[in-house]
Each structure stands twice: as C-alpha cells, then as structure tokens.
C-alpha cells in the first residue's frame, strides 16, 4: 500500500510503501540483542532520484531490498559515488536523536561537488533521516553504547559508458543496528604505518567521503592485519612524512602540556567526531592545533615524553586510543599501553552528550522521532 505524506519541504511529497515482509518483533529483538556492525539492516530504505532535467524528485520510503541497476550504470565503471555515516541514539526516555546531522548534510554536499554529483539540499537530507526513523524507529537499540547506524549514499546510475558526470543519480539511506564497538571496555589498538601506499594524493579526492578512497586503502589495511594491527595510518603522498589519517578515522596527538594536535591537509576527510572532540577540549581550556605534524615529531615526542597520548576518532568507534604504531623499521609506544586519561574522558563526555546523559551545550543533538 502506498500513501502520500506531506513533507516539511513543500516541493517534495514522500511516497511510503510499507514492507509486508517486515521482520517479526522476536526476530528483530534477537538482532538488536547482538547486532554487531553493518551486518543487519532495517525493514525499509529511503531513496530520492535526481536527473539533470528534473532535479531532485520522487522521494520514497520502500521495503529494504536489492537495487536494480543497468549493467552500464556509470558507478559500476567509474566509481562516481559518495556516502555519509551517522548514528541514531536512543535516550533514556525512549526518544531518538542524531548528532550534528546538518554537518553530515553539508559534508555530503562538499563530497558531491568534488565527485561532480548534484548537491542534495540539507533539508532533504534531514527529512530522509526522519522518514526512515518514522517507519523503522523500533530498530534503534537501547542497550548502552548501541545505536542505529545510518548510511546515506549517492551514486551515478545513468547507463552510459562515456566519461562525464552522470545525468541520472540516486540518493539512498539505509540503516543498520550497531552494537558497542568495544566489548569489555575500550582498549588501545595497534596501528600499522603504511610507507608503500597512500590513500589520497594532492588534488585528489582525499577530502571527499567516496568509496574510491576506501578501495585505495584496502591493500594497506590487509598489510596492517598481517602485522597484527587493527588499522593503517597513512602519510602524505608527496613527502611521505606528514601524518594524514587512518583508513576511516582521523588522528589526534596529546602533548604533556595538554595541547591537542591534529594533522591539517587538503587530502584528509574532516571528521565530525574529531571536530566535536576538539571543541570539547577547547571548552575545557586545552590548546588545539590544526597543523602539519610529521611522523618524526610523533616518534621523538613519544620517546622524550612530550607526546603522552594518541587517539583515532570517527563515528563508528567514536574515540579509539592508539597504543602503538608499528612501522617496517621502528615502533612507537608498546602493545600493552593503557588508554590515555584525556582520551577516555573526552570520549565519555562526547558519548554522554550523544546519549542524552549530559547537557548539550553546543546544540549538536537533533531529535528525529518528533
Ligand atoms: C568518515 C570518515 C572519517 C570520520 O568522520 P566522522 O564524521 O567523524 O565519522 C575519517 N576519515 C575518513 C576517511 C572517513 O571516511
């Protein structure tokens, strides 16, 4: 059955088709009890079409399921694709909230510009999240540190093998319940320093959230795993000297005087988690520096005791302490390093805001279910 619902933006009316084969409550509850990450998906998905002639049109909520694509769809050949990642959090009173979704909407627009895709208006992005939560809100888990991960994405679906920006594009949102990232407490991870591979180059797509950057990181990530590391750290592609970021997380160093330093570069993805953590640190009176920082500075600073903590940050794992860096010919830190004190207290402050356990001084939270 399809019904038309009015939408906050007057020019788009949403068509909602309920999933007749939605998961029974018992099955959903079993998934929510142990969701893992990115393995299970809710009963519905959202999509909005774009064409060069018609602009954004036909917003829909429909049953979750396979997408039919022409084999010549340009995304399958030239990778014209971007995505976002954010979470819906259940608060103690049952309400459902997201964290700075306007920042995700704007970042999707920046990614779109770089990948020659159309910019989705911010209000359509937010409305898409609300529509999905309106129908799949019961999929937001309530156990501590769990959430519903929301994955908006956009791709070129025009059937055309010529090389130019596609004239037909689709925007989707899917959702996947996520368990606590760390079982049995947050533990420091070991990180492999890739010297052979770069994730992005000067003038490339490093600052856009696009699948190609991830594709480029996978062999390095596999190399990290071979060395017993959870993640890979990339350096700049020109000098092989300056810190950039991990495959999907930003990196921050903490100095003994309380200063936080994070790499500045045109080829890293500007994380919303990092921006928020650094804001919270500034609120506490810490100095924050966004500047070039070399792997040698980290090595020497860790050896001299000037650099006392390091962490990675991103939506999925929030904040992950870095225990050690392993490179082909040196190591920083040690495998049994303990999580840094400031790292853990900033992590706690951020998650307390996200889960509604503490006031939200910057107005970062947006309610999705009302
Ligand atoms: C998404 C992403 C991040 C983290 O961004 P958040 O907004 O904090 O989730 C960092 N690096 C890369 C490459 C990413 O794709």
């Amino acid at each position: 059955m399809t019904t038309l619902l009015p939408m906050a933006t007057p020019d788009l009316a949403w068509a909602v088709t309920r999933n007749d084969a939605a998961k029974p409550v018992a099955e959903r509850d079993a998934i929510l009890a142990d969701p893992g990450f990115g393995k299970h998906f809710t009963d519905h998905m959202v999509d909005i079409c774009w064409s060069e002639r018609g602009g954004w049109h036909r917003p829909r909520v429909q049953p979750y399921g396979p997408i039919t694509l022409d084999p010549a769809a340009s995304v399958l050949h030239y990778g014209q694709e971007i995505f976002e990642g954010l979470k819906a959090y259940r608060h103690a009173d049952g309400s459902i909230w997201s964290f700075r979704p306007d920042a995700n909407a704007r970042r999707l627009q920046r990614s779109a510009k770089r990948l020659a895709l159309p910019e989705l208006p911010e209000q359509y992005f937010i409305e898409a999240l609300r529509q999905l939560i309106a129908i799949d809100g019961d999929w937001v888990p309530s156990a501590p540190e769990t959430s519903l991960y929301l994955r908006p994405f956009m791709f070129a679906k025009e059937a055309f093998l010529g090389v130019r920006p596609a004239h037909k594009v689709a925007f989707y949102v899917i959702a996947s319940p996520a368990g606590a990232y760390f079982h049995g407490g947050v533990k420091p991870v070991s990180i492999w320093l890739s010297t052979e591979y770069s994730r992005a180059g000067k003038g490339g797509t490093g600052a856009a959230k696009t699948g190609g950057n991830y594709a480029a990181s996978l062999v390095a990530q596999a190399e990290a795993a071979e060395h017993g590391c959870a993640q890979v750290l990339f350096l700049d592609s020109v000098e092989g000297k300056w810190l950039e970021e991990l495959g999907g997380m930003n990196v921050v160093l903490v100095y003994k005087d309380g200063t936080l330093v994070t790499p500045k570069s045109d080829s890293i993805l500007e994380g919303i988690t990092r921006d928020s953590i650094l804001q919270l640190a500034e609120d506490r009176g810490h100095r924050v520096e966004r500047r070039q920082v070399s792997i040698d500075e980290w090595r020497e600073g860790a050896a001299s005791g000037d650099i006392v903590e390091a962490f990675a940050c991103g939506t999925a794992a929030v904040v992950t302490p870095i225990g050690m860096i392993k490179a082909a010919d040196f190591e920083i830190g040690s495998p049994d390093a303990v999580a840094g004190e400031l790292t853990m207290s900033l992590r706690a402050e951020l998650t307390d805001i996200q889960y509604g356990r503490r006031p939200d001084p910057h107005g970062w939270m947006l309610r999705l279910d009302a």
Side-chain angles (χ1 to χ4, degrees), residues 11-41:
D11 50 333
L12 288 189
W14 285 74
V16 178
T17 307
R18 285 200 155 265
N19 187 348
D20 294 331
K23 290 225 165 46
V25 175
E27 203 177 318
R28 184 179 71 216
D29 286 348
I31 291 170
L32 294 186
D34 183 22
F37 183 82
K39 288 194 296 190
H40 302 280
F41 299 91

